Amino acid sequence: MPSAGQIVYYSAVVAWSAAIYQFLIKDLLSVSLGLGRVIQSIDEFPGYSCSRIQHPQLEACEDLWLDERDRTLYAACGGTQSRMAWNPSISLLNASGRRISGSEFLAIDVDSFGTNGFFSLRTITPTGSFGATGEPTLDALGFSAETIDDQTIHFYFANVPPYHGSLFPASQTGANASVEVFEFKRGNTEMSHLRTVQSPAIWSPNRPVALSDGAFLVTNDHGAKVGWRKQLEPLIGGGNVAYCPASGSCRAATPPPGLDIRKSLKFPNGLTRGHDGLIYVPSSVDGTVAVFALQPDGSLTRVHTVRVGMPLDNISPDARGDLWVPGFPDSRQTMKGLENPYEEVSPATVWRIKRERGAEGEVRNAEYVLEYEVEKVLEDREAKVLDGVTTVVHDVKSGRLFMGGAAVPFMVVCEPRV
Ligand SMILES: *[C@@H]1O[C@H](CO)[C@@H](O)[C@H](O)[C@H]1NC(C)=O
Ligand SMILES: *[C@@H]1O[C@H](CO)[C@@H](O)[C@H](O)[C@H]1NC(C)=O
């Protein structure tokens, strides 16, 4: 006979898991899969006129960064064919289908960029010796930039090449992940390699963000490189943020997935540091942006959660400090679109998240009192123009939006209609 205490204990466990289960399943169906979601058509957003820009070099530009000072848009582009074979974060691990030359890093003159085909574009070649073969090749996912002075920018790339000369197929090993740091002088066509950061704390890097003096944070978008657990992560959580000091070893900055799976990061994607100094981590599963305060020891304390309500990708601040992030209103289509962007569409949404007010000093229910305005700026149910978007940057000066996608063979520019 179980004791009364045991009965109470087991009932509590059952009630607890039932509550969590209900919450999770509901969340999984409505937020992650988007069942029952009403997706709007691009025609319902007359404020912008959007068009695609086709160019052989502007394929699969997973991430973008706008240098407003120099009026230059930087893009890391992997090539559509190549990304259909090699995209470790979504378990596409056919190393022989990957482009040997890896990704291309491009600088686009933003003021000339448009559909007329006469924009100026130059390739920035990485120099130096890094990687297994010593050849300066990048397999870039997300990247970010740190402005050092008037001339100098440091670029931080999440790099995911296949292992070189491995006896095991990439489907078993995953990628040989690292973060690669480069120094670049504005206007140049080369960037020189500064350092490779490889660590057991970085296994599935998605996007690094520089802090200052060479320290950075990077999201691991999954809890494992390969394997069955990865498939369960939408439910149980996985992935984290790692902190790497300028020298010394990297370590986890967020706690590992715990018993309360609601609190675990789920597919944390391209993070950023806001103008307010807080760290913003979007989720490609649960549709939230987790807001963290960086502690002096490099760890992150969760201070707020912005609920956008659909899976999100890379988040980018504009010159005013507003955050721009693309969403996947139909994530099942998005998965198909990532695997085969020539035949499947991936409807897209563009969100703007604006910090309204709130002081970091004020705390209620263990969260800072922060307020954000979340606004849907664009949505394209049929993916008529916006398709497979994984990053969006806003040019405050012209009001234009620039978008790239991890797999699609084009970029998108949206012009505000005045
Ligand atoms: C991997 O890519 C190569 C080159 O594109 C292709 O021939 C091969 O069929 C692919 N393998 C798999 C398992 O899809
Ligand atoms: C993995 O990457 C590191 C850092 O770039 C490199 O030194 C090493 O040789 C690579 N290993 C293999 C087996 O590719």
Side-chain angles (χ1 to χ4, degrees), residues 15-284:
W16 174 83
S17 23
I20 297 237
Y21 180 78
Q22 247 183 10
F23 177 92
L24 274 175
I25 295 299
K26 196 170 143 276
D27 225 41
L28 199 69
L29 297 180
S30 65
V31 177
S32 312
L33 293 179
L35 298 189
R37 175 177 289 135
V38 177
I39 308 175
Q40 289 175 274
S41 141
I42 189 89
D43 305 327
E44 294 173 61
F45 299 87
Y48 285 93
S49 148
C50 300
S51 30
R52 289 182 184 173
I53 300 190
Q54 316 252 2
H55 184 283
Q57 285 176 287
L58 299 177
E59 289 195 355
C61 303
E62 168 148 9
D63 206 3
L64 305 171
W65 179 69
L66 178 63
D67 185 6
E68 291 225 25
R69 187 192 302 199
D70 204 28
R71 307 299 301 152
T72 304
L73 181 67
Y74 294 89
C77 306
T80 295
Q81 281 293 346
S82 182
R83 295 309 300 278
M84 285 167 70
W86 185 253
N87 191 351
S89 67
I90 57 162
S91 301
L92 295 177
L93 294 164
N94 179 1
S96 55
R98 159 192 170 268
R99 184 162 79 185
I100 308 283
S101 57
S103 325
E104 245 190 311
F105 193 50
L106 301 160
I108 305 164
D109 166 21
V110 82
D111 292 314
S112 72
F113 197 38
T115 46
N116 62 20
F118 293 112
F119 52 88
S120 104
L121 169 89
R122 64 181 200 279
T123 305
I124 298 174
T125 311
T127 65
S129 174
F130 60 93
T133 57
E135 280 177 31
T137 306
L138 280 173
D139 286 84
L141 296 178
F143 71 96
S144 69
E146 180 183 25
T147 302
I148 305 295
D149 59 39
D150 280 354
Q151 274 97 50
T152 317
I153 299 172
H154 287 176
F155 285 113
Y156 289 70
F157 292 88
N159 189 34
V160 290
Y163 284 95
H164 181 75
S166 169
L167 293 176
F168 301 98
S171 55
Q172 281 171 33
T173 59
N176 185 12
S178 64
V179 170
E180 303 290 341
V181 188
F182 292 86
E183 183 162 281
F184 174 71
K185 300 284 182 191
R186 285 191 166 92
N188 273 8
T189 53
E190 285 184 352
M191 57 180 177
S192 52
H193 187 247
L194 286 182
R195 62 196 171 110
T196 294
V197 181
Q198 229 185 4
S199 160
I202 305 176
W203 58 85
S204 185
N206 190 289
R207 189 205 246 176
V209 63
L211 296 172
S212 59
D213 305 330
F216 64 89
L217 294 167
V218 58
T219 29
N220 283 303
D221 54 29
H222 289 84
K225 283 195 190 198
V226 289
W228 61 270
R229 195 192 177 283
K230 212 170 157 177
Q231 314 308 323
L232 279 183
E233 287 188 3
L235 202 58
I236 60 177
N240 72 350
V241 183
Y243 168 79
C244 297
S247 59
S249 42
C250 306
R251 52 186 182 267
T254 52
L259 217 47
D260 187 349
I261 39 193
R262 285 172 301 180
K263 290 200 179 122
S264 310
L265 289 174
K266 299 186 180 79
F267 200 154
N269 212 301
L271 82 177
T272 201
R273 185 185 208 192
H275 289 194
D276 54 9
L278 296 173
I279 305 299
Y280 291 86
V281 184
S283 162
S284 295

Side-chain angles (χ1 to χ4, degrees), residues 336-357:
K336 292 185 199 164
L338 281 170
E339 283 167 25
N340 185 359
Y342 292 120
E343 279 162 23
E344 300 280 355
V345 297
S346 166
T349 307
V350 171
W351 298 95
R352 189 189 65 188
I353 302 174
K354 207 186 174 92
R355 171 94 183 263
E356 286 283 87
R357 60 175 197 91

